[in-house]
Amino acid sequence: LRRIVSARTARRGPAAPRARKRARASARSCPAKIGDQLDALEAFYGRQKASWPTEPFRFLVWWQCGYPPSEVACEKGWRALSAMAKIEPAALLALNARKFGRALAMGGLVPELRVGRIRDVAGMVAKIPGADLAKRLKALSLPEARKLLKRYPGIAGPGADRIILFGGLSPLAAVPSNAPQVLLRMQAGEVPASYSACYRDAQAIVAGGTPETLAARKRTYLLVKHHGETLCKRSRPACASCPIERSCAFASRAAVM
Ligand code: SF4
C-alpha cells in the first residue's frame, strides 16, 4: 500500500503550497456554532465571574475609581474608597475632598477629576426617589434605561449594556467594549473597520446564537471579554495557542491566504 501511495504521489508531484493550505482549511469545521465555541473557551479558561460590582450605582462609582481604566486600577481605588466611606450617594457627597482624592489616587492618575465625576454620579442618583438607581431603571423600558445610563459620566452604549445585563435588568446581547473583534473573528472571519459596526455585528452574533437568558448572556460576555484580553487581542490574535483555532472563521481564512 505504501508503494502504491508513493507511486501516485510521484506521478502527481507535490501539491502546490496554496492547494495544500486550502485542503487543510477545508478539513476544519468552520464556522462552528457559537455555543460550541463558548463551551470550548470555558473548558480552556474555566468558569468566569464578574470582578466588578454589579449593582448599577456601585458600578458607576467603581468605573471612576481607576485611571487609566482597567479592572486592576478600578479595584485598587474602589477598595481604598470603600475603606473610607459607605458607597452611598449621601456618604460620598459628604466625604472630605482631600480624603476622597487620596483614596482615588490609589487607582491611578487624575484623582481630582474622578472625585468630581463620582460626586456628579452621587448627586444625580441622590435626586432619584429613594436614591435607588436600580429601582428607577427597572421601572423604565430598555431604550429609556440605556438613555438614562448614558447621561452618567464615562458611560456610552457598551457600558450601559453591561450595567443592564449584570444588574439583572434584561438579558440583552451586551458585548465587552474592549473585545467585539473576538465574536466577529470566531463567527464571521473578518472585523469591520468601524468600531460601531463591529459592536453592532458582535451584538447580532450574540443575539442570534445564544439563549436569551441572563445566565447565558453573562457567561458569553465574560468568556468573550477574557478571551479578548488574553489570546484574541485586538492587535494580534495568538491563533496558534487558541483552543478554538480549528473552528474559527478568521483562522480558517488566514490559512487559505
Ligand atoms: S483562532 Fe485566533 S482569531 Fe480565532 S478566536 Fe482564536 S485567537 Fe481569535
Side-chain angles (χ1 to χ4, degrees), residues 37 41 181-182 185-186 227 231-233 236-252:
Q37 292 179 318
L41 289 178
Q181 80 281 356
V182 172
R185 286 178 184 149
M186 281 162 61
H227 193 40
L231 292 177
C232 198
K233 290 184 180 172
R236 192 187 286 184
C239 301
S241 311
C242 179
I244 57 170
E245 192 250 352
R246 290 184 67 78
S247 71
C248 170
F250 179 87
S252 293

Side-chain angles (χ1 to χ4, degrees), residues 104-116:
L104 292 202
M106 300 303 289
L109 304 175
V110 290
E112 299 80 12
L113 177 76
R114 290 183 286 116
V115 167

Side-chain angles (χ1 to χ4, degrees), residues 3-218:
R3 271 205 305 276
I4 295 167
V5 172
S6 320
R8 279 184 188 157
T9 309
R11 272 204 304 278
R12 279 194 214 122
R18 206 173 164 78
R20 261 186 274 134
K21 274 186 174 181
R22 249 187 241 119
R24 273 207 303 273
S26 67
R28 298 161 192 255
S29 51
C30 161
K33 285 187 181 157
I34 187 170
D36 295 338
Q37 292 179 318
L38 292 170
D39 288 348
L41 289 178
E42 191 170 69
F44 185 74
Y45 292 122
R47 205 180 166 86
Q48 302 296 302
K49 271 174 67 179
S51 59
W52 57 85
T54 54
E55 193 280 326
F57 171 69
R58 292 168 75 81
F59 177 86
L60 290 169
V61 174
W62 177 85
W63 191 237
Q64 297 296 341
C65 280
Y67 193 85
S70 75
E71 269 156 42
V72 174
C74 288
E75 190 56 31
K76 282 184 188 166
W78 170 263
R79 280 182 190 214
L81 184 60
S82 305
M84 222 164 256
K86 276 190 168 179
I87 308 294
E88 289 173 358
L92 292 175
L93 287 169
L95 184 60
N96 169 284
R98 244 168 7 114
K99 279 186 173 180
F100 212 150
R102 266 210 314 275
L104 292 202
M106 300 303 289
L109 304 175
V110 290
E112 299 80 12
L113 177 76
R114 290 183 286 116
V115 167
R117 288 183 175 173
I118 292 179
R119 285 197 164 143
D120 288 346
V121 170
M124 288 163 79
V125 173
K127 288 185 189 143
I128 293 172
D132 190 337
L133 177 60
K135 194 171 170 191
R136 174 82 189 116
L137 290 168
K138 271 185 202 147
L140 299 175
S141 68
L142 193 51
E144 288 170 338
R146 276 186 110 237
K147 196 169 160 194
L148 174 62
L149 284 167
K150 283 160 73 178
R151 290 199 194 123
Y152 287 88
I155 300 297
D161 291 346
R162 174 175 174 169
I163 294 170
I164 289 168
L165 176 63
F166 284 90
L169 301 166
S170 165
L172 84 179
V175 170
S177 62
N178 62 351
Q181 80 281 356
V182 172
L183 289 152
L184 270 296
R185 286 178 184 149
M186 281 162 61
Q187 289 284 298
E190 52 190 336
V191 180
S194 127
Y195 178 82
S196 56
C198 184
Y199 186 79
R200 191 191 54 228
D201 292 354
Q203 277 192 305
I205 290 170
V206 174
T210 63
E212 197 179 356
T213 65
L214 286 170
R217 295 280 162 85
K218 286 182 194 175

